[in-house]
Amino acid sequence: MSTVMIVDDHPIVRDGLEMMMKLTSDLTVVATATDGVDAKAKLAALSQLPDVILVDLQMPNMNGRDFIKGLAQKTKIVVLSTEINAEMVMHMADYGIHGYLLKEEEPDKIVNEVTKVIADDHYVAISNAVTAKMVQWNQQDHISHLTERQILLLKQVAAGLTNKEIAAQLFVTDRTIKLYLTEIYETLNVSNRAQAIAVAAKRGYI
């Protein structure tokens, strides 16, 4: 029988999942913990590591992210969270994570995903919403990026400077500034200054 540990500070989540797992003949919950500190103490008391540790990210005392450090390659980790942490999702292999599930999933689906992770070393359990976010982030990575010069120009535009004032600061002509702005508009897929500033700010350029 495969073993599972549940680390979550919400009793309703811990108890609910433990109850669901008790209904299966393949899984047994060998320990539960309320946070990372509690989990480390519980692990130390076990004779061997569980096959899977189901971990929440947001917990008091020691969060899930800090708790799983050092556990990579030792056992399988599946994150169970209400939020999608971009860093962890996009670098799951680096964190030694075998899954990222959202708490909005039905308990029986979470149990099924944990079972699959245990059975297959190459299986990664991911909620559909997490997959959708990954696709979105990957698409954003392929969006054309602004050069340092274009970012500087946009910052000057956002500060309210006119083309003539910007040209004087950069030692170029007004016409050159207009050409630069046209290139920026094309890159950001916008048609005017206000739209360019809004999109640049949304992407974190200014």
Side-chain angles (χ1 to χ4, degrees), residues 117-163:
V117 167
I118 293 173
D120 186 348
D121 290 338
H122 300 291
Y123 186 79
V124 179
I126 302 181
S127 291
N128 290 336
V130 176
T131 300
K133 269 294 183 183
M134 292 174 70
V135 171
Q136 179 184 334
W137 290 327
N138 282 326
Q139 289 175 339
Q140 289 176 343
D141 285 342
H142 288 88
I143 293 176
S144 298
H145 294 288
L146 297 176
T147 64
E148 290 185 12
R149 182 187 67 186
Q150 291 173 327
I151 294 172
L152 173 61
L153 177 56
L154 265 181
K155 287 181 178 179
Q156 292 172 314
V157 170
L161 275 64
T162 65
N163 286 0

Side-chain angles (χ1 to χ4, degrees), residues 154 156-158 160-164 166 177 181 185 190-198:
L154 265 181
Q156 292 172 314
V157 170
L161 275 64
T162 65
N163 286 0
K164 186 175 182 179
I166 297 172
I177 295 300
L181 286 173
Y185 296 165
V190 298
S191 58
N192 57 53
R193 284 177 168 233
Q195 291 176 352
I197 293 171

Side-chain angles (χ1 to χ4, degrees), residues 2-206:
S2 300
T3 56
V4 181
M5 179 181 194
I6 303 171
V7 186
D8 195 298
D9 60 324
H10 294 97
I12 191 169
V13 175
R14 292 196 313 273
D15 297 344
L17 286 174
E18 184 174 13
M19 184 178 297
M20 285 295 299
M21 290 181 183
K22 283 181 178 179
L23 297 177
T24 72
S25 58
D26 302 322
L27 302 175
T28 181
V29 177
V30 293
T32 62
T34 58
D35 56 52
V37 174
D38 185 29
K40 285 195 170 186
K42 296 289 179 61
L43 283 177
L46 296 175
S47 59
Q48 62 183 31
L49 289 173
D51 295 310
V52 166
I53 302 178
L54 206 55
V55 186
D56 185 16
L57 291 182
Q58 299 298 325
M59 297 181 293
N61 299 321
M62 180 187 291
N63 62 42
R65 184 170 177 167
D66 290 337
F67 166 66
I68 65 176
K69 290 178 180 177
L71 285 174
Q73 311 307 322
K74 294 181 180 179
T75 190
K76 295 179 178 179
I77 305 291
V78 174
V79 169
L80 181 65
S81 181
T82 55
E83 65 175 23
I84 303 177
N85 183 294
E87 169 66 19
M88 296 191 76
V89 167
M90 299 304 288
H91 301 91
M92 285 196 288
D94 295 335
Y95 282 93
I97 298 172
H98 288 74
Y100 200 112
L101 300 173
L102 297 180
K103 291 183 180 180
E104 64 189 36
E105 300 285 4
E106 292 294 331
D108 59 338
K109 179 177 180 179
I110 295 174
V111 172
N112 288 336
E113 291 296 296
V114 168
T115 301
K116 291 178 182 177
V117 167
I118 293 173
D120 186 348
D121 290 338
H122 300 291
Y123 186 79
V124 179
I126 302 181
S127 291
N128 290 336
V130 176
T131 300
K133 269 294 183 183
M134 292 174 70
V135 171
Q136 179 184 334
W137 290 327
N138 282 326
Q139 289 175 339
Q140 289 176 343
D141 285 342
H142 288 88
I143 293 176
S144 298
H145 294 288
L146 297 176
T147 64
E148 290 185 12
R149 182 187 67 186
Q150 291 173 327
I151 294 172
L152 173 61
L153 177 56
L154 265 181
K155 287 181 178 179
Q156 292 172 314
V157 170
L161 275 64
T162 65
N163 286 0
K164 186 175 182 179
E165 290 171 330
I166 297 172
Q169 289 190 9
L170 299 181
F171 303 102
V172 295
T173 65
D174 291 7
R175 178 179 172 76
T176 299
I177 295 300
K178 289 179 180 178
L179 290 174
Y180 286 169
L181 286 173
T182 298
E183 292 175 353
I184 291 173
Y185 296 165
E186 291 176 352
T187 300
L188 297 179
N189 193 27
V190 298
S191 58
N192 57 53
R193 284 177 168 233
Q195 291 176 352
I197 293 171
V199 172
K202 185 177 181 180
R203 295 190 190 175
Y205 285 123
I206 59 177

